[in-house]
Amino acid sequence: MIKLLRLPASLLLLLLTLAGFALRLPLLHRFPLREDEAIYGYWALHAWYVDPLFLHVWPDKPPLFLWLLSLALQIWGHTPATVQAAARLGSIFAATLTIPVLAATARRWWGDAAAVAAAALAAANPFAVSFAPTALTDPLLLLTGSLALAFIVRGRWFWSGFWLGAAIMTKQQGLLLLPLIAGSGWLESDWLEMRSRQGQPRPWTARAAAVGRWLGGLALMVGPILYWDSLRWAVAPSPWDLGAANVGGVTLLPVAAWLERWPGWAALSWYGLASPAAWAAYDLLLAAAVLLAAGRRAPADSWRPALLLSGWALGFLLLHIAASVQIWDRYLLPLVIAQVLLGSWAAAEIMRAWQARAAVHPGRRVEKALAVAALAGLLWIGAGPALQAAQGELPIGGDHGAYTGLDEALAAVDVPDALLFHRELGWQARFALFDAVQAGQVDLRYYPSAVYLADSAAKSPHKQRFVIVPDWAPLPDLPLQLAVRGLYSRIVLRAGHFTVYAVTEQRTAGQPGRDAAWRVCAAEPPGLFESFGAAEVALPEGAPPRWCSIEKKP
């Protein structure tokens, strides 16, 4: 452990980044896509192949993430074997890159020790690990927001504005990063002490130039996308309008509602460390750092960023409690920025105090051993929740088993001339079967009830008709509704929580079904029934197997 501490900070940052990448990979293939992941995937494919302006499909998110997801699906492919990984790899890379970006911000504010601590906290953060292997907008939002912060603390106003614009054009929630970025710019030393070449302060001209560069970067990203959006307004709503409509509008709630909502948000925020021991250690570190900073009368450039981060995080959480937004785990992901950087500040303050004491009392091996043991204990405490998140054992992020078997179920209905009835699984079907639907091989049809499904199936005898029924959304009256129309369902596949049924006409010996005169019947193509594992149907003796199309007799 002592030898590890002596490694260069850059090497430690690289090792921690690689460790964070390893923690984010295990869930790449383990669980199928959830409905929101499938929505984004379908929108991305639709934009690339069908409708770049989204005139027929209306997303409720700004398009930057969807465009990048479209590109990822082209690079890594969207075949049944690769589509799930292709949709999620971009988010994993974004989540991994966030680790060194946050470390760079911590180094700028508090030095190398803070950078290493920030990388460790970001790599093992359970919230970040849980959301990394998802095809959601939030990992990219976290990366772009972190980049905007990293650039502004280094005085790179233009690029800070550019990446803040990228965050806003990734998800509307990116606007909530504005106070943090603007406050960090105000704290940035060049902003407070801008001087002319003659050494005289230039408070207004220098500040105006910095803000102008920042707004220029923001406009470079936001302007073209807003122009693209304006081309759609005649026939399609803006993602901003649609996003607000889909959540029923965002309004400030009465105080009585705050008391009802805060336990839900508090329960979700607990997964920021996901362990009582981890939270206790984190809080003790912060308390110790505050006492040490106050005792040594730390300079303003040390405690002001920590105060800004604390205020922003508290305001961010209170705003979600007070506003009429859904209590969803993904909304809290930006808090990772404040949590990681505050922890790195605490680590830097404690390291500074320990180094100062070591300088006064050199050679005390007992103190060194205790410090190493404390560090090892903290790493062990933080590793537990991180490994839990990497195995999908925390109830945040992507799917955790409810959709097990869905990929196999969708693959079973990917056959020529198929008709798939869907209700709960429409977005997953649109995404997984996108190529087949575009080629006309698979027809997707929504059903609001078993009555509608049976009636529609009876009117489509020329199709291979399927319905995928989840265990958590059964259709108990479907057999009766089918029987009324001379149909029945047979099981094609059971996989995980899903059962695939094929809908066919009832046929018995001596009564070959409800064949109508307007159908053309021919010899059954080989393997039609065998491909679904069905038993041979009973037909009149000597009669060849038959199948029917909807074509009319000449």
Side-chain angles (χ1 to χ4, degrees):
M1 180 65 71
I2 293 177
K3 292 182 179 180
L4 180 64
L5 293 175
R6 292 174 180 172
L7 291 175
S10 57
L11 181 57
L12 284 174
L13 291 176
L14 175 61
L15 293 175
L16 289 169
T17 301
L18 293 175
F21 180 65
L23 286 171
R24 286 152 175 78
L25 275 180
L27 296 182
L28 182 63
H29 280 292
R30 183 169 178 181
F31 298 114
L33 299 176
R34 291 184 63 176
E35 57 279 1
D36 285 354
E37 296 177 90
I39 288 173
Y40 297 140
Y42 170 71
W43 284 342
L45 290 177
H46 186 85
W48 186 276
Y49 289 104
V50 182
D51 181 17
L53 291 179
F54 292 112
L55 299 179
H56 303 97
V57 173
W58 300 343
D60 61 355
K61 296 291 187 293
L64 183 59
F65 172 77
L66 300 178
W67 290 341
L68 294 176
L69 183 55
S70 297
L71 184 61
L73 291 171
Q74 303 310 310
I75 294 174
W76 292 303
H78 53 90
T79 65
T82 63
V83 66
Q84 185 168 299
R88 289 173 170 168
L89 273 174
S91 293
I92 290 179
F93 290 144
T96 304
L97 288 174
T98 303
I99 298 171
V101 171
L102 289 176
T105 301
R107 171 181 278 168
R108 174 68 174 181
W109 273 336
W110 304 299
D112 285 347
V116 173
L121 289 169
N125 184 275
F127 231 93
V129 172
S130 296
F131 277 96
T134 63
L136 299 174
T137 58
D138 305 271
L140 182 61
L141 171 66
L142 185 63
L143 172 62
T144 51
S146 299
L147 283 167
L149 181 61
F151 276 108
I152 205 166
V153 301
R154 292 181 176 273
R156 306 293 182 87
W157 290 78
F158 176 85
W159 288 110
S160 174
F162 179 86
W163 288 110
L164 177 61
I168 296 171
M169 290 296 103
T170 296
K171 189 175 183 179
Q172 292 91 330
Q173 198 182 16
L175 284 170
L176 300 182
L177 295 169
L178 181 59
L180 177 61
I181 307 303
S184 299
W186 181 78
L187 294 178
E188 198 269 320
S189 59
D190 289 342
W191 172 262
L192 297 175
E193 299 177 1
M194 289 179 178
R195 298 180 179 274
S196 66
R197 293 180 180 179
Q198 293 76 25
Q200 299 299 321
R202 294 191 308 171
W204 295 111
T205 56
R207 286 170 171 78
V211 173
R213 293 194 300 272
W214 187 73
L215 292 176
L218 186 69
L220 181 63
M221 172 59 70
V222 173
I225 296 179
L226 289 181
Y227 173 72
W228 165 87
D229 192 20
S230 69
L231 300 177
R232 309 166 54 250
W233 291 345
V235 294
S238 169
W240 295 85
D241 296 332
L242 196 59
N246 286 348
V247 297
V250 180
T251 59
L252 191 65
L253 299 173
V255 177
W258 302 4
L259 301 177
E260 298 176 358
R261 289 167 57 84
W262 81 263
W265 287 113
L268 290 177
S269 63
W270 184 84
Y271 291 105
L273 291 174
S275 164
W279 273 114
Y282 185 83
D283 292 341
L284 285 174
L285 283 175
L286 286 180
V290 170
L291 293 176
L292 289 171
R296 75 179 183 94
R297 295 183 179 180
D301 60 355
S302 174
W303 58 263
R304 278 180 176 174
L307 188 62
L308 172 65
L309 289 165
S310 301
W312 176 80
L314 181 61
F316 184 94
L317 187 58
L318 290 176
L319 181 62
H320 284 75
I321 293 174
S324 59
V325 295
Q326 296 289 337
I327 304 178
W328 286 346
D329 52 4
R330 71 191 71 170
Y331 288 166
L332 295 185
L333 190 61
L335 286 178
V336 170
I337 296 174
Q339 183 181 344
V340 166
L341 292 178
L342 282 173
S344 70
W345 168 75
E349 285 292 331
I350 293 173
M351 180 64 72
R352 185 179 291 108
W354 183 79
Q355 290 174 341
R357 183 173 178 80
V360 176
H361 304 285
R364 294 195 174 184
R365 296 184 177 180
V366 174
E367 289 187 2
K368 291 183 178 180
L370 289 175
V372 172
L375 179 59
L378 291 175
L379 292 175
W380 180 80
I381 290 173
L387 291 174
Q388 281 185 294
Q391 297 301 316
E393 297 176 2
L394 300 180
I396 55 174
D399 178 48
H400 294 86
Y403 290 96
T404 299
L406 178 58
D407 294 337
E408 294 84 352
L410 290 171
V413 303
D414 189 6
V415 297
D417 205 27
L419 170 58
L420 174 61
F421 293 96
H422 68 86
R423 186 168 60 184
E424 292 82 11
L425 309 172
W427 289 114
Q428 286 94 336
R430 287 185 177 93
F431 181 48
L433 305 175
F434 181 85
D435 290 336
V437 172
Q438 293 301 310
Q441 297 178 352
V442 176
D443 182 16
L444 300 179
R445 191 172 300 175
Y446 174 79
Y447 70 93
S449 65
V451 175
Y452 181 93
L453 190 160
D455 183 68
S456 183
K459 295 175 180 177
S460 305
H462 56 296
K463 294 279 190 180
Q464 299 186 60
R465 296 151 290 182
F466 301 96
V467 59
I468 301 175
V469 180
D471 293 346
W472 33 266
L475 287 172
D477 57 336
L478 180 60
L480 174 61
Q481 298 299 331
L482 291 175
V484 170
R485 293 160 179 82
L487 305 173
Y488 77 102
S489 60
R490 55 185 176 83
I491 296 176
V492 172
L493 176 72
R494 291 188 187 274
H497 295 296
F498 298 90
T499 304
V500 182
Y501 293 95
V503 178
T504 60
E505 280 80 7
Q506 295 177 356
R507 291 189 282 181
T508 59
Q511 186 180 359
R514 299 177 47 163
D515 206 3
W518 47 267
R519 298 180 188 171
V520 175
C521 294
E524 177 182 328
L528 179 63
F529 291 100
E530 288 79 2
S531 62
F532 302 119
E536 185 69 29
V537 294
L539 294 174
E541 186 176 354
R546 304 181 69 80
W547 69 287
C548 298
S549 75
I550 200 169
E551 300 176 10
K552 294 184 179 181
K553 281 188 176 182

